[in-house]
Amino acid sequence: MEKKITKIGVLTSGGDSPGMNAAIRAVVRTGNYFGLEVYGIYRGYAGLIENDIHRMDNRSVANIIQRGGTILKTARSKEFRTSEGRQIAYNNLKNLGINGLIVIGGDGSFTGADIFSEEFDIPCIGLPGTIDKDIAGTDFTIGFDTAVNTAVEAIDKIRDTMDAHDRLFVVEVMGRDAGYIALHSGIATGAENILIPETKTNIEDIIKNMMEKEKRKKLVNLIVVAEGDDFGGGDAVGKAIKERLPKADVRVCILGHIQRGGSPSCMDRLIASRMGFHAVESLLEGRRNVMVGIMNNKMNYIPLKQALKSKNKIDTNWLKIVKILAS
Ligand code: ATP
């Protein structure tokens, strides 16, 4: 028989993403509403092993919905990758009587949760908290919308200088393995080229195209590149173009960590609140080892394993549209 859930723990793990606080708030307040004891686990799995676990009431999450980062802090834990480390983590939960766990993080965090939940009798629910949007089973991940809007705002500013000086700008955005931030921010800022890890970059084609544009006196060019593009990041792309187009005024701008921080967008606050509520409800309904996602505006529950196995594939048809609109 399923054990009745009475005490739950919540943690944030892996890279932080804007909206994690809104999700924590939703978990804490929903848990308290249903009469559960809710515990915040600090610094992800590291805090779970170090017993950095504290009771949270509704007031402890006041005034955080608009804040970026995570009040629970996040960390990466090597120890949790070992069975000894996970045994200590489980003992800590058991001692406190915590019998349900909500993990807000990316695919690495879900892998940890999945293994932990299989080894020990503790149901885990995952909430997709990552700016990369590369997790299957959900149309949205907590933090993606804010990160993209930050990138768009920054690129719009760069564009002013680009236009004023007839410059060619290569802007690198985040995305080690996923091109979603590059694709969305590039389309929204009218980029001439968008380079993403999911497709092979043909730098010769890009340079040829620029040479033609140079002949037509179209000197302003924006290239948005994901940091994990197969050709290399912004610096590599900028260098290749400078070598082949010596007359062009080429600049490289790496947006970096500004994309992770900042106040979450309305969209991220909403999805985080909704997912946080449904994560608690899921535990109460007896679900275990699933990720709570949203697809076609409906809640979607998929096994953590499945969310890990099948990455959220990018629709590369978008790139055709980019080409046509940038001509
Ligand atoms: P991001 O997408 O921002 O990188 P993430 O959740 O994928 O976030 P990771 O650093 O990959 O971040 O994973 C976070 C933590 O999850 C790791 O530090 C580790 O403690 C745990 N973890 C990852 N993989 C495993 C694994 N195979 N076994 C046990 N724990 C793991």
Side-chain angles (χ1 to χ4, degrees), residues 58-118:
N58 283 355
R59 297 279 58 81
S60 66
V61 290
N63 201 21
I64 65 164
I65 196 167
Q66 77 283 16
R67 281 167 57 191
T70 156
I71 59 159
L72 290 178
K73 302 197 180 282
T74 179
R76 293 196 155 94
S77 165
K78 273 199 192 132
E79 226 184 326
F80 196 74
R81 292 176 184 269
T82 67
S83 52
E84 293 80 14
R86 291 192 296 273
Q87 181 66 58
I88 298 169
Y90 177 68
N91 294 345
N92 290 337
L93 290 178
K94 203 165 174 221
N95 288 340
L96 285 165
I98 295 173
N99 49 13
L101 187 63
I102 295 172
V103 172
I104 308 167
D107 52 0
S109 306
F110 289 176
T111 307
D114 194 45
I115 294 170
F116 189 57
S117 180
E118 277 185 357

